[in-house]
Amino acid sequence: MTEPILKDPRELYHPEKFKKQDQDTPALQTEMSPNPDCGEESYVGHHKLENRRVLITGGDSGIGRAAAIAYAREGADIALQFFPGEEKDAREVAKYIKEANRKVILLPYDLRDEEAPAKMVEQTVKELGGLDTLVLNAAQQISQPGIGKIPIQQVKDTFMVNIISMFSLVQAAEPHLPAGGAIITTTSVQAFNPSSHLTDYAATKAAIANFTVNLARQFAEKGIRVNGVAPGPIWTPLQLDQGQPQDAIPEFGQNSLLGRAGQPAELAPIYVFLASNDASFVTAQIYGITGGEAINL
């Protein structure tokens, strides 16, 4: 009898502690140790997103990078937004997309710019010939020891990047999105169990969860599904760019039920599922990929 292929989730990827490290803004995935696994070598497509036209924000690294690689291998063309200065990571993702024989356009836009969302959508529609799927993933996360230490400009920037840009992107994209299209947001376990050193970030993630469910109700009559993903501790450049207290990096993710941080590659299948026709009866949902921590809306 053939034995089942079983893998102990506690021992996958990088179960050990991380070395102490940080980076200046913008942090690059290519300079992390260990390098996050975004499915570059492991993700295999099954034609679930043939000829989709997808705009992904924050697609140069981490979760957005994993989604971009998976989407391309599933047959989608990709418009990849990234923060200016992250070109090195973005070009690397573009290489993987081209190797999958899919089209990619790079969108170096700062989402703090009010005009950026409309420009991004316009360029995507023009160069990809349309737009049917949005993956709203970009985020700013800056750790501060308490609310009294958070500059108000940081609060404004965090809200602008994390949630206000989502409103603008959806408004710009709505006229182009067809029935059967999908919107996937990235919220966080922080929306449900916030850390005291991430007050502004957690507040935006709670807003994204609410936004997702509200938007699903509005778009259902158009035949467009809207869902969100709530990651837990995932090893991405966001953590090294002031996203965690520096002394916390070695222990990052070690207190999850599975005893380790997650890798972006472990989220890619859920982003694919939520965009695909397999999720035809799924909308207004938040999927937790947290290593065991509960989420509750």
Side-chain angles (χ1 to χ4, degrees):
M1 180 180 294
T2 304
E3 292 296 318
I5 300 174
L6 300 175
K7 298 180 180 181
D8 185 339
R10 300 168 299 175
E11 302 300 324
L12 292 175
Y13 298 99
H14 185 82
E16 300 85 12
K17 293 181 179 180
F18 298 102
K19 74 175 186 179
K20 190 175 180 180
Q21 58 192 292
D22 64 0
Q23 292 188 35
D24 294 330
T25 303
L28 296 176
Q29 178 160 314
T30 49
E31 298 178 8
M32 294 178 68
S33 179
N35 203 255
D37 189 331
C38 293
E40 293 92 342
E41 305 302 324
S42 61
Y43 191 89
V44 178
H46 295 88
H47 309 288
K48 291 183 177 294
L49 301 173
E50 284 295 321
N51 300 318
R52 292 289 189 96
R53 285 96 34 113
V54 184
L55 171 57
I56 301 176
T57 65
D60 58 293
S61 64
I63 296 168
R65 176 190 181 109
I69 291 170
Y71 277 36
R73 291 178 184 174
E74 295 290 354
D77 294 328
I78 310 294
L80 196 79
Q81 181 273 335
F82 60 95
F83 182 75
E86 297 173 342
E87 283 81 1
K88 183 178 180 181
D89 282 348
R91 286 194 295 268
E92 193 169 83
V93 181
K95 176 178 69 74
Y96 287 110
I97 294 170
K98 291 175 181 177
E99 286 175 354
N101 296 315
R102 302 311 306 183
K103 186 173 183 179
V104 58
I105 60 173
L106 297 181
L107 303 173
Y109 284 96
D110 186 339
L111 293 178
R112 294 173 297 182
D113 178 359
E114 291 185 358
E115 297 180 356
K119 292 178 179 178
M120 289 161 51
V121 169
E122 180 181 8
Q123 188 174 345
T124 298
V125 171
K126 180 180 179 180
E127 297 193 35
L128 295 188
L131 174 61
D132 51 65
T133 305
L134 287 176
V135 178
L136 304 177
N137 169 75
Q140 171 174 297
Q141 175 184 317
I142 300 176
S143 173
Q144 297 286 4
I147 192 167
K149 299 293 186 180
I150 306 175
I152 290 302
Q153 188 59 52
Q154 175 184 314
V155 176
K156 291 179 179 178
D157 289 347
T158 300
F159 271 79
M160 191 70 185
V161 172
N162 294 11
I163 179 64
I164 295 173
S165 70
M166 286 193 182
F167 276 84
S168 298
L169 280 160
V170 172
Q171 286 177 341
E174 182 177 11
H176 305 284
L177 296 175
I183 300 172
I184 301 104
T185 66
T186 302
T187 175
S188 170
V189 71
Q190 289 289 326
F192 313 96
N193 186 19
S195 298
S196 60
H197 66 97
L198 295 175
T199 306
D200 55 333
Y201 174 82
T204 64
K205 292 300 179 174
I208 291 168
N210 184 284
F211 173 73
T212 302
V213 175
N214 191 317
L215 203 64
R217 293 171 178 167
Q218 298 179 42
F219 276 64
E221 64 183 23
K222 299 174 179 288
I224 298 167
R225 298 175 299 99
V226 186
N227 295 286
V229 180
I234 307 298
W235 184 240
T236 72
L238 199 66
Q239 311 307 329
L240 303 188
D241 190 2
Q242 307 177 72
Q244 296 289 331
Q246 188 176 2
D247 290 342
I249 290 298
E251 304 286 342
F252 180 70
Q254 300 293 309
N255 63 350
S256 73
L257 288 186
L258 294 177
R260 64 171 176 85
Q263 293 289 332
E266 297 179 273
L267 284 83
I270 193 66
Y271 282 88
V272 169
F273 168 69
L274 291 174
S276 75
N277 294 325
D278 290 343
S280 56
F281 201 54
V282 179
T283 197
Q285 303 302 307
I286 306 292
Y287 280 70
I289 313 296
T290 67
E293 188 169 348
I295 63 169
N296 297 286
L297 258 184

